[in-house]
Amino acid sequence: MAAPIISFGALVTLEELTSASQHFKEGASLRVTGKLQDYNVETAIAIINDGAATLKVDTQHLKINFRMSSIYQFIGELHFDSPDEVVLKARVGRNVDGIDLNLYHQSIKLLQEFQSDQIRKQAP
Amino acid sequence: METTLINTHVKLLASDFNALTPLPSDPSLFSRSATPSPLSRAETVGTITSRDLKPGKFLRFTIDDGTGCIPCILWLNHSNSPYFTRRSPTDVRQIAQLAASLASLVQVGVVARVRGRISGYRGVVQITVADVGVERDPNAEILHWLQCVKLAWKCYNVSPCSR
């Protein structure tokens, strides 16, 4: 059957989101999770981190009261302001304090394996 | 015909749900190649990413679970649908109130658990919503993913003789 119009946010960890990733391209719809490291009230740009990896998130369309060091999850599209300036323009976001990040990372890997397995089974 | 999953709200990832196709023999039942048993109902957990309300008619919304988007429709036309004219006005009023309260829970950005009947509309498979619950536990989606994978491996994708 035909696919729905709205793109889903593919599950990626910030550490996976490098130039080698298939998701690292203009307009890619992603779901990212990380700890709030910095937030600029004037530009509504948040910087989240997960381990050593960081990502800028444009939150101008969201109504969230940000708290430093809290964990947030965003779904949005990746934009390249310049080759070195990557920002996720968030469509939706929420506070996920209490999330088990270790389990989250393991579950993403399991989901990716499961989906690859499903595709392999459906191949003629 | 294997019927054990008919009328069960099967937990499906969106990537699996969107691969469902109606059975030629009965368009109210759906299947996918890896799922031998026909399905009629589904359960999903994900972030609501769109909301389109037509007052007195329906609320259309999408659930994003990280593997795909599932279109959902919640009917709000109980007062003017011929389907309900033969039922008691009190029952219809209560059903309408329940639907209105479910609609108020559906807000963009919220993580929700949605159950309902699998249906097709203009070539797209969707959920005709029977129940909506807001999930406040930040680990609820993770648990749903793990349940979907486990059920697919241990239950949904195996033939009846190998269970």
Side-chain angles (χ1 to χ4, degrees):
Chain A
M1 285 198 157
I5 297 163
I6 293 178
S7 300
F8 72 97
L11 294 160
V12 289
T13 62
L14 296 189
E15 290 185 332
E16 280 177 336
L17 200 56
T18 64
S19 55
S21 167
Q22 57 167 326
H23 301 296
F24 198 73
K25 58 186 179 190
E26 177 71 25
S29 294
L30 304 176
R31 181 193 295 217
V32 294
T33 304
K35 188 181 281 188
L36 186 67
Q37 179 180 306
D38 194 18
Y39 180 68
N40 185 319
V41 179
E42 289 179 7
T43 61
I45 296 287
I47 298 175
I48 56 169
N49 71 48
D50 185 5
T54 62
L55 180 69
K56 275 188 183 179
V57 181
D58 183 344
T59 67
Q60 63 175 310
H61 298 302
L62 308 182
K63 290 177 185 169
I64 298 178
N65 291 320
F66 287 103
R67 277 201 311 264
M68 301 305 287
S69 298
S70 278
I71 304 172
Y72 292 89
Q73 188 168 76
F74 300 100
I75 299 174
E77 279 65 43
L78 209 59
H79 288 278
F80 290 76
D81 292 341
S82 71
D84 298 327
E85 277 289 304
V86 185
V87 63
L88 183 91
K89 297 207 169 184
R91 282 185 272 131
V92 295
R94 64 181 182 125
N95 181 303
V96 288
D97 279 342
I99 193 169
D100 185 334
L101 278 175
N102 188 31
L103 180 63
Y104 179 73
H105 292 155
Q106 288 183 55
S107 300
I108 289 178
K109 280 184 188 157
L110 182 71
L111 276 183
Q112 289 165 346
E113 283 172 24
F114 173 75
Q115 289 185 289
S116 302
D117 187 46
Q118 297 286 83
I119 291 166
R120 204 167 43 246
K121 278 183 184 168
Q122 285 171 16
Chain B
M1 181 188 278
E2 170 62 32
T3 58
T4 54
L5 292 176
I6 292 179
N7 294 327
T8 298
H9 286 105
V10 293
K11 293 172 190 271
L12 287 178
L13 295 171
S15 55
D16 276 350
F17 182 89
N18 290 324
L20 293 172
T21 52
L23 295 186
S25 56
D26 184 349
S28 69
L29 298 177
F30 291 75
S31 74
R32 48 186 287 279
S33 56
T35 309
S37 182
L39 312 173
S40 67
R41 296 170 200 273
E43 175 177 324
T44 182
V45 177
T47 307
I48 295 168
T49 53
S50 74
R51 184 183 197 271
D52 177 22
L53 175 66
K54 302 280 184 228
K57 293 181 179 174
F58 58 79
L59 171 66
R60 191 174 283 284
F61 60 99
T62 51
I63 290 257
D64 179 336
D65 76 351
T67 71
C69 281
I70 297 182
C72 300
I73 185 159
L74 173 61
W75 289 104
L76 302 170
N77 62 344
H78 307 87
S79 58
N80 50 24
S81 167
Y83 181 78
F84 291 98
T85 51
R86 277 172 289 175
R87 299 187 68 164
S88 99
T90 310
D91 287 353
V92 174
R93 201 160 42 246
Q94 284 181 343
I95 294 167
Q97 283 172 352
L98 175 65
S101 70
L102 294 180
S104 69
L105 298 175
V106 175
Q107 302 295 335
V108 171
V110 159
V111 171
R113 182 180 302 274
V114 173
R115 295 190 190 97
R117 189 167 49 78
I118 305 167
S119 56
Y121 179 67
R122 292 185 175 171
V124 175
V125 65
Q126 64 179 10
I127 294 179
T128 299
V129 177
D131 187 33
V132 178
V134 173
E135 289 288 350
R136 292 188 172 81
D137 183 339
N139 295 299
E141 267 191 295
I142 301 172
L143 181 60
H144 177 74
W145 296 336
L146 298 177
Q147 287 176 328
C148 285
V149 170
K150 185 178 178 184
L151 286 166
W153 276 336
K154 303 278 185 188
C155 182
Y156 302 156
N157 287 4
V158 292
S159 57
C161 56
S162 62
R163 279 185 192 150

